[in-house]
Amino acid sequence: MAALLQTHGLTAFYGDFQALFGVDIDVQPGEVVALIGSNGAGKSTFLKALAGLTKAKREQIVYRGEAIGGMPAASIVGKGIALVPEGRRLFASLSVEENLLLGAYSGRPGRWNLEAVYTLFPALRERRHHAATALSGGQQQMVAIGRALMSNPDLLMCDELSLGLAPVIVREIYAALPDIVSDGMSAIVVEQDVQLARRVSSRFYCFQEGRISLSGVSADVSDEAITQAYFGVAA
């Protein structure tokens, strides 16, 4: 089966600072892939490069066989890649429903519309006319996920969904993931909780200082190997 997404020697810079060093990753259709690693390891930068928010060379990112590195973010959304950013980044002046509708601007067809998002996250239906940033942190995260789904992506990228949320809310949000990908959607999940990342994914990549230090099948790799790759020290 041809990969949905591949990166080839992906590099990324912030000015003179290099954040990624030759990262090679592939995502298959219908697959959930986890990215793990400590703060500053390059995980968020990797997602930003895929989303067109950080510069990349054209040939370094290939999606459905097409080189898309460096394309504008709006064009990448139109091709079927959506990002749920770290910190949610909702529009404070808009309601829940208005934030959701912004996600549909690309006009891609698919099963995700307002009714589908409200069925996935019933709490949002009740609060659809409230200011999005007046909601709880967990509900704001649901809005951010819903907004991304409204673009009907084939690849959903989630950056630190559990950040700052209570464990019970984290479980509720991740419980929705199987339904989200049930129609063959692929997902990349950035998650610092290693055990949670392994439970929700089929494969993982561990980032350390902008490089891949370990990759494998989530259920097969030992905790000791992951600890060594995560921290760069012997377990």
Side-chain angles (χ1 to χ4, degrees), residues 87-197:
R88 301 181 278 275
R89 306 297 292 272
L90 302 178
F91 291 93
S93 63
L94 301 181
S95 68
V96 167
E97 191 155 295
E98 288 168 335
N99 269 276
L100 292 173
L101 287 170
L102 280 175
Y105 76 90
S106 65
R108 281 177 57 85
R111 71 170 171 126
W112 291 104
N113 51 33
L114 284 174
E115 183 58 32
V117 172
Y118 291 149
T119 299
L120 182 69
F121 297 125
L124 299 187
R125 187 193 303 273
E126 302 166 14
R127 295 164 177 81
R128 62 187 182 275
H129 299 308
H130 294 202
T133 51
L135 274 57
S136 68
Q139 290 166 352
Q140 289 186 41
Q141 191 64 276
M142 293 173 190
V143 176
I145 296 169
R147 181 178 61 188
L149 291 175
M150 288 284 286
S151 71
N152 279 294
D154 296 318
L155 175 61
L156 179 70
M157 305 188 299
C158 302
D159 195 358
E160 300 282 10
L161 292 183
S162 64
L163 191 65
L165 300 181
V168 64
I169 302 300
V170 173
R171 286 195 295 273
E172 181 181 355
I173 287 174
Y174 271 108
L177 188 59
D179 184 30
I180 290 171
V181 301
S182 64
D183 62 349
M185 184 189 299
S186 301
I188 301 176
V189 177
V190 166
E191 179 56 63
Q192 285 200 44
D193 183 331
V194 174
Q195 297 308 320
L196 175 58

Side-chain angles (χ1 to χ4, degrees), residues 35-39 41-47 160 190 192 207:
L35 309 184
I36 62 175
S38 59
N39 279 329
K43 308 181 302 297
S44 293
T45 299
F46 179 80
L47 294 192
E160 300 282 10
V190 166
Q192 285 200 44
F207 279 66

Side-chain angles (χ1 to χ4, degrees), residues 19-33:
L20 296 178
F21 299 82
V23 173
D24 295 328
I25 279 179
D26 68 90
V27 179
Q28 301 299 317
E31 183 179 39
V32 178
V33 172

Side-chain angles (χ1 to χ4, degrees), residues 10-12 49-50 54-61 68-71:
L10 180 61
T11 56
L50 298 184
T54 299
K55 289 184 179 179
K57 294 180 179 178
R58 180 64 63 115
E59 68 278 4
Q60 290 181 342
I61 304 173
I68 64 167
M71 278 190 178

